[in-house]
Amino acid sequence: DAGVIQSPRHEVTEMGQEVTLRCKPISGHNSLFWYRQTMMRGLELLIYFNNNVPIDDSGMPEDRFSAKMPNASFSTLKIQPSEPRDSAVYFCASSSSGGPQGEQFFGPGTRLTVL
Amino acid sequence: QKEVEQNSGPLSVPEGAIASLNCTYSDRGSQSFFWYRQYSGKSPELIMSIYSNGDKEDGRFTAQLNKASQYVSLLIRDSQPSDSATYLCAVSRAGNQFYFGTGTSLTVIP
């Protein structure tokens, strides 16, 4: 299996621009998670989906952030407009409810820099 | 109070020694407990999971869970320089609520 795939791996943009991060979970996994990691705040859960349905988006920092999962093999995290404080590494992770509870597998991450 | 608390370290141990990493959690309803390893610039990698009180061993790694004390630990025996990384404790509750600690940085000195 290819594991969780994220794109792009690096993104540099200017303040005010729209940013879209993409994720392909492991085939057969039915839960998908978006995290943000910074030195100051560590790893923060932004939102997670179960069977393509958003279950908990309480970690989404504000309305500038939105996430979608149109099908079982694809999810996006969008930031519009982006701000310098959004600079972080964004991870996508997936898990299977049929497997041991909660074992999540992470993608390589997208390093976002907003100038 | 944070859901999951870890000592940020850094923790330094000599090669061959036992490294002991600790974690406490706040919700007694937590059901599953995990240790992830994260090398600098890389993504977290699951190394241990534990679901019931007691010890669970996997190679040089032993996870220990004490639900009464709300305490999880990870022991790394015969520490190697390649074990140098940040170790993240994670806890999950029903409904896939998942919480990470801020991590403990471990350095194994050759």
Side-chain angles (χ1 to χ4, degrees):
Chain A
D1 198 315
V4 177
I5 298 172
Q6 290 187 247
S7 64
R9 294 293 305 277
H10 301 273
E11 177 80 24
V12 180
T13 190
E14 293 187 346
M15 182 174 63
Q17 296 298 306
E18 178 179 295
V19 175
T20 300
L21 311 181
R22 296 172 176 80
C23 175
K24 176 179 169 55
I26 292 172
S27 178
H29 282 190
N30 61 340
S31 294
L32 183 140
F33 305 78
W34 281 103
Y35 291 90
R36 176 173 70 176
Q37 188 174 42
T38 61
M39 289 293 292
M40 291 297 293
R41 301 173 67 92
L43 196 62
E44 302 173 279
L45 177 64
L46 301 177
I47 184 171
Y48 78 89
F49 296 83
N50 201 37
N51 295 321
N52 312 338
V53 176
I55 302 300
D56 184 356
D57 65 354
S58 59
M60 296 286 262
E62 49 197 275
D63 291 346
R64 297 184 297 106
F65 286 69
S66 62
K68 294 182 179 180
M69 190 165 187
N71 57 62
S73 59
F74 183 67
S75 177
T76 59
L77 178 67
K78 185 175 294 186
I79 308 172
Q80 166 64 16
S82 57
E83 297 182 3
R85 60 193 168 116
D86 301 330
S87 297
V89 180
Y90 290 79
F91 289 106
C92 176
S94 70
S95 70
S96 170
S97 62
Q101 182 182 353
E103 287 189 354
Q104 298 187 8
F105 298 86
F106 283 75
T110 295
R111 182 173 296 277
L112 173 65
T113 302
V114 183
L115 303 174
Chain B
Q1 182 182 9
K2 291 184 179 180
E3 294 279 349
V4 181
E5 301 256 17
Q6 292 182 255
N7 187 329
S8 62
L11 174 66
S12 294
V13 299
E15 184 174 355
I18 295 175
S20 178
L21 305 164
N22 305 313
C23 169
T24 58
Y25 59 95
S26 61
D27 190 338
R28 288 190 174 276
S30 300
Q31 299 178 341
S32 305
F33 308 86
F34 308 90
W35 284 99
Y36 284 79
R37 177 176 62 199
Q38 188 175 24
Y39 293 114
S40 180
K42 301 295 185 182
S43 57
E45 172 193 13
L46 179 68
I47 55 172
M48 289 288 287
S49 57
I50 187 166
Y51 306 99
S52 55
N53 278 329
D55 295 0
K56 178 181 178 182
E57 186 174 319
D58 184 359
R60 295 186 296 111
F61 298 97
T62 299
Q64 300 174 318
L65 174 61
N66 183 327
K67 289 188 176 181
S69 300
Q70 296 175 242
Y71 179 89
V72 191
S73 65
L74 179 70
L75 300 178
I76 306 175
R77 291 182 300 280
D78 188 23
S79 296
Q80 301 296 310
S82 58
D83 295 326
S84 298
T86 296
Y87 289 80
L88 301 168
C89 174
V91 170
S92 75
R93 304 201 292 254
N96 254 344
Q97 291 177 301
F98 210 82
Y99 302 94
F100 279 88
T102 54
T104 298
S105 175
L106 171 67
T107 300
V108 180
I109 303 167

